[in-house]
Amino acid sequence: TYLTQAMANRATTVPRNFFRIVTSVSSQVPRHLQHLFGRGSGGGMVGGTIDRWTRTIYMVPAPGLRQETRLEYALHEAVHLFAHPHAPTQQQCPDPCIGTFQHEFGTGFGEGLTQVITEDIMDAQGISRYYRDRPYDVYTAPMREVVRIFGVDLMARAYFFGAVASLTTAMDARWGAGWQNVAGRTTMIWPLRVSSSRGFSTSPAAPR
């Protein structure tokens, strides 16, 4: 529902060729985005990114394929594209121009909620997830609990429309400054223990 509202905003219009599968990052991706395709800590190359200024998705082919990519990853990037801010200028959102939600709460929350939304779209459409290569799983478990605690409306408005102040106020009321530990540990890819009565435990745990 919230994604539909975001897509109805005139500012979210995408160009005709907004989705591009590239075989050469150095020649087919804008220079300011090329570093985002570097190999991560796990040794795998990032599969895609967005240019929020031009509302364009760039993705590399899936392993073993030449002109295709996995639908799940493509949807993930599309969800990023419709997150706030919509169609900013370079002055409004300088490089790197990331979503307001992810900028406020960190990579763990940002990537986690993006993937939660992606998987919900897939579930609604009857689309199965790929049985391998699930890099976002470590983020989605804590984020589904955050959504359960604070509700879809508060989370979606923060993600799609930039209403991060309301979410921050709610997290302050429940956890105090401890919510920053939750967000930080999620970004660090540390598993969080969840208690049904008190929310997250931020006590140290071994990295996954």
Side-chain angles (χ1 to χ4, degrees), residues 13-15 18 20 28-34 36-37 48-59 77 80-82 85-90 93 95-98:
T13 302
V14 296
F18 77 97
R20 304 180 185 180
Q28 296 175 291
V29 176
R31 185 178 297 276
H32 71 278
L33 297 175
Q34 291 178 10
L36 298 175
F37 285 87
T49 193
I50 66 170
D51 187 335
R52 201 172 292 278
W53 298 334
T54 63
R55 303 198 58 71
T56 303
I57 297 172
Y58 295 93
M59 299 198 70
E77 297 303 327
H80 271 305
L81 193 64
F82 287 96
H86 306 137
T89 65
Q90 293 187 27
C93 188
D95 185 32
C97 185
I98 60 177

Side-chain angles (χ1 to χ4, degrees), residues 19-23 28 57 59-61 66-69:
F19 182 80
R20 304 180 185 180
I21 300 176
V22 300
T23 55
Q28 296 175 291
I57 297 172
M59 299 198 70
V60 296
R66 298 182 63 183
Q67 296 180 321
E68 299 87 3
T69 191

Side-chain angles (χ1 to χ4, degrees), residues 12 36 38 74 88 91 95 97 131 138 157 165 185:
T12 64
L36 298 175
Q91 290 72 31
D95 185 32
C97 185
Y131 72 98
V138 71
R157 290 188 180 279
R185 294 285 175 91

Side-chain angles (χ1 to χ4, degrees), residues 67-78:
Q67 296 180 321
E68 299 87 3
T69 191
R70 294 195 182 112
L71 177 60
E72 178 181 349
Y73 296 167
L75 285 174
H76 180 97
E77 297 303 327

